[in-house]
Every structure is written in C-alpha cells, then in structure tokens.
Amino acid sequence: MDRVHSDQSDQLANKSTGEPASAEVLGVRVDCLTMAEAVDCCMRFLKTAGHHQVVTVNPEFVMLAQHDAPFRSAIRNASLVVPDGAGIVWAMRRQGFVDAERVTGIDLMQALCVRAAQEQVPVFLLGAAPGIAVKAAAILQQEIPDLTVAGTAVGSPDPKHAAGLCAQIRESGAGILFVAFGCPAQDFWIQQYQEETGARLAIGVGGSFDYISGAVTRAPLWVRGMNLEWCYRLFRQPWRWRRQLTLIPYVWKILREKPRH
C-alpha cells in the first residue's frame, strides 16, 4: 500500500483513522506525528496483539538505507517510524507535511517511561557501555518514582549472545524494551529477536542511555530549539565529523527533489 500523502488534507484524513500519515524521504518511510501522538500510538501497541518495533530515523539512517536494502526494508516494516532529526522534518515539510515535528529517541524514551509508570508497564534497558544502562535506569527511577525497571543488560548485537539476552528480558516481564546498540545493529536486532524477548514494544534509542546517565552532555534547550543539536554534538564529539559528512549528499539529494505543496 502506498503510504505517501502529498497534501495536508490527506494527512488530516489519515489522522482521523488513528493511523499517522507517512512521507517517503529519499525512499525511506517516515511517519508524521507529534511527540504526544507518538507516545499514544506506542501505548496502543502495548494493548494490540503482536510485537511492535519503533524506528527513530535521522539523515544518517536515510543515507545508509540508500545502499542497504535490508535496512530500508526493516524501517518500512516497522510499526512506527518517527522523524528523529531536523533534516528529516525539513524534508517532510518540503513534501507538504507542514505539521511534521521532531520526535527524538531520547525524548520519546523519557515520555514513554512516564506513561509506563502511570500504566504500570515494566521497561528494560539493553545496550551501551558497561554501567551506563544501570546508571540511566537509576536516574529514570529517581525522576519517575513509579517507574518499574525490570532489568538492564550490557549485551551486544552478536548473535551468540542473543539467546541469553532474550531469556533475561523475557523472564523480567518487561513490556517495553529500549535497545542502545547503535544504528543499524539495534534495529536489525529488534527485528530478529523481539518476539523471543516477549516485549510488546521495542525501540532502538542509540545514545539515549549515555545522555540520561550523564556520560554525555546533551545540548541545552535553546540549542535544541534552534535545531542545532547536531552542531553541539559535533563540537563536544569532534570524532563525529566523518558521520556528519553524510549531511552534504543528503541535503543535495533533498534539494534535487521537487517540493510538493
């Protein structure tokens, strides 16, 4: 089914059914919804049969998907794909999705933890460097006292560790699984093993544990408000310059596409 809607009336009609409208950014599916709508959608997934994967897409994801068909397919087949990146929102608005707004992985994770606490849904934190997930969990529980963290694990996307990790998550009874293996490893891992974990909802959250734990400082709110978080990250982590180079061909490709209104 073609999920691309080129005008605002189509977006509103689609929203009336409860299903977000979707854009295609250089052939990569991205859903158009607000943070509040994304959280509501995720919480509905917990009450729906099956196992639901959420992907947080930024320009790096899109450029990787250009030459990685399995990754592009994993994104397309996810239950929800949110625009994590100012460059994605910009591309969506050029297509006529004027209501598009950024839904970052870390903000979605924190908002879901608040709702999970309210609805008594246990969460599990998987990935990041040793000690980071544990510290992130402790901070989340301090900030959200009613939150139940069913467990944490360092783990790795290596298939030889999958059986043990899946058993640990399944036995914890977690309903929401946050995976911080980095792109695209976390998204492939969820696609392949989520059902074995028993978690109804699984989200790849990249470096979110690092930010929550304080291991990495996040950009101030005013910087985020100006959509310059990528610049702040580059300043604090100059080794990322190679990754940021992907923005140049990304912008060029988007500009070559004819805007739709």
Side-chain angles (χ1 to χ4, degrees), residues 158-171 189 193 196:
D158 191 322
K160 68 182 181 183
H161 299 143
L165 290 173
C166 289
Q168 183 179 350
I169 298 164
R170 186 170 59 252
E171 291 167 7
W189 195 94
Y193 299 112
E196 294 181 42

Side-chain angles (χ1 to χ4, degrees), residues 19-218:
E19 179 185 349
S22 299
E24 293 252 349
V25 178
L26 300 182
V28 175
R29 170 192 154 206
V30 188
D31 298 325
C32 180
L33 69 181
T34 66
M35 176 64 73
E37 289 169 340
V39 173
D40 286 342
C41 188
C42 287
M43 297 309 291
R44 285 198 300 272
F45 288 153
L46 292 172
K47 301 172 184 177
T48 305
H51 300 272
H52 302 273
Q53 178 176 5
V54 178
V55 179
T56 61
V57 168
N58 63 28
E60 289 179 37
F61 282 52
V62 170
M63 294 309 294
L64 176 59
Q66 298 303 291
H67 55 81
D68 189 331
F71 183 47
R72 189 167 61 250
S73 177
I75 296 173
R76 182 168 294 277
N77 292 327
S79 296
L80 185 66
V81 184
V82 298
D84 182 349
I88 300 295
V89 172
W90 168 64
M92 294 175 73
R93 288 178 178 172
R94 280 175 59 85
Q95 292 186 23
F97 289 79
V98 296
D99 293 332
E101 70 174 53
R102 193 176 177 203
V103 179
T104 68
I106 182 172
D107 291 331
L108 180 58
M109 176 181 173
Q110 291 173 314
L112 279 174
C113 283
V114 171
R115 286 287 294 276
Q118 294 171 351
E119 301 190 25
Q120 299 181 324
V121 178
V123 304
F124 195 104
L125 278 61
L126 171 63
I132 297 297
V134 172
K135 188 171 182 180
I139 290 173
L140 285 170
Q141 287 180 302
Q142 182 179 0
E143 295 176 348
I144 312 168
D146 293 333
L147 177 66
T148 299
V149 177
T152 66
V154 177
S156 110
D158 191 322
K160 68 182 181 183
H161 299 143
L165 290 173
C166 289
Q168 183 179 350
I169 298 164
R170 186 170 59 252
E171 291 167 7
S172 76
I176 302 176
L177 171 63
F178 299 110
V179 183
F181 286 156
C183 165
Q186 61 193 17
D187 307 289
F188 283 135
W189 195 94
I190 292 171
Q191 182 186 48
Q192 186 168 358
Y193 299 112
Q194 182 183 358
E195 188 171 352
E196 294 181 42
T197 69
R200 282 288 181 87
L201 181 70
I203 308 172
V205 292
S208 296
F209 299 176
D210 293 317
Y211 290 120
I212 294 171
S213 68
V216 176
T217 304
R218 193 178 183 192

